[in-house]
Amino acid sequence: MRILLIGASGHVGSAAAAALRPRHELIEAGRTSTPAVDITDEASITALLDATGNVDAIIVAAGSVPFRPLEQLTRDDYLAAFTGKVLSQLDVVRLGLPYLSDGGSLTLTSGVLARDAIATGAAASMANGALEAYVMAAAPELPRSIRINAVSPGVLAEATGYHDAFAGFPQVTDDEVGRAYVRAVEGVGTGRVIEVG
């Protein structure tokens, strides 16, 4: 398969890339790659898709959210979480559909905070939950037998900078996360959240 992976250089994207690269033709994109993309900018997404052409799968392993105590979160913080993690991935879906083969797949990335909480994580939980609800609702309406799923990874063992914020959470390996993306792309399920950890 020919797969476009957006966010390939991040912790989660690197795990997905390592698992998929030996199995498929992988086009790896990010803010500083060639080709480059900023998923908060529709024109940038369209330019990437035009440069890439038709693909069998699109994976988005990118997105950002602010982490602040609940009482300090502002409307702008929530808007930044929605724009940076939810709307950006939904724009890739919307704009990417014409570039997908019949029976192709879309894989979005949410995260453990959709089902568990940490201090300062309310905006991230909101964004992850929104993505997971969207995947469930969008699946039955996608045309041409295109599938959509989300991978929801826990805290990566290799991402040591996050361990203190997720004290006591089970840690997952890059290999476990990578296998979830393989399952999303090569499997037959749709409208599902594949939880890792």
Side-chain angles (χ1 to χ4, degrees), residues 103-107 135 139 142 145-150 182-194:
S105 73
L106 295 150
T107 305
V135 163
L142 287 174
S145 301
I146 291 171
R147 298 179 302 105
I148 186 168
N149 294 291
V182 171
R183 179 178 166 192
V185 170
E186 296 181 15
V188 296
T190 191
R192 302 191 54 199
V193 175
I194 302 170

Side-chain angles (χ1 to χ4, degrees), residues 20-192:
L20 291 163
R21 200 179 290 121
R23 306 169 68 89
H24 302 284
E25 178 187 348
L26 195 62
I27 302 156
E28 301 177 38
R31 285 183 180 269
T32 59
S33 65
T34 302
V37 65
D38 174 359
I39 62 171
T40 64
D41 179 351
E42 286 187 52
S44 180
I45 296 169
T46 299
L48 171 66
L49 293 166
D50 286 343
T52 302
N54 290 340
V55 292
D56 301 301
I58 298 173
I59 298 168
V60 186
S64 62
V65 295
F67 286 87
R68 288 197 177 86
L70 184 68
E71 292 181 348
Q72 295 177 20
L73 284 169
T74 65
R75 182 180 188 279
D76 286 344
D77 290 325
Y78 287 115
L79 186 59
F82 182 75
T83 302
K85 184 145 191 187
V86 182
L87 187 58
S88 56
Q89 293 193 61
L90 272 53
D91 279 343
V92 173
V93 171
R94 180 174 57 83
L95 298 170
L97 279 174
Y99 295 84
L100 274 171
S101 304
D102 291 357
S105 73
L106 295 150
T107 305
L108 307 184
T109 302
S110 61
V112 67
L113 295 183
R115 58 189 181 274
D116 213 335
I118 62 167
T120 75
S125 291
M126 178 271 301
N128 288 335
L131 277 170
E132 294 184 6
Y134 172 81
V135 163
M136 175 271 302
E141 295 192 50
L142 287 174
R144 299 183 287 112
S145 301
I146 291 171
R147 298 179 302 105
I148 186 168
N149 294 291
V151 172
S152 181
V155 185
L156 273 71
E158 291 81 359
T160 55
Y162 293 95
H163 292 177
D164 287 346
F166 290 84
F169 278 63
Q171 295 172 8
V172 297
T173 66
D174 282 1
D175 186 55
E176 290 172 306
V177 172
R179 282 198 308 269
Y181 285 95
V182 171
R183 179 178 166 192
V185 170
E186 296 181 15
V188 296
T190 191
R192 302 191 54 199

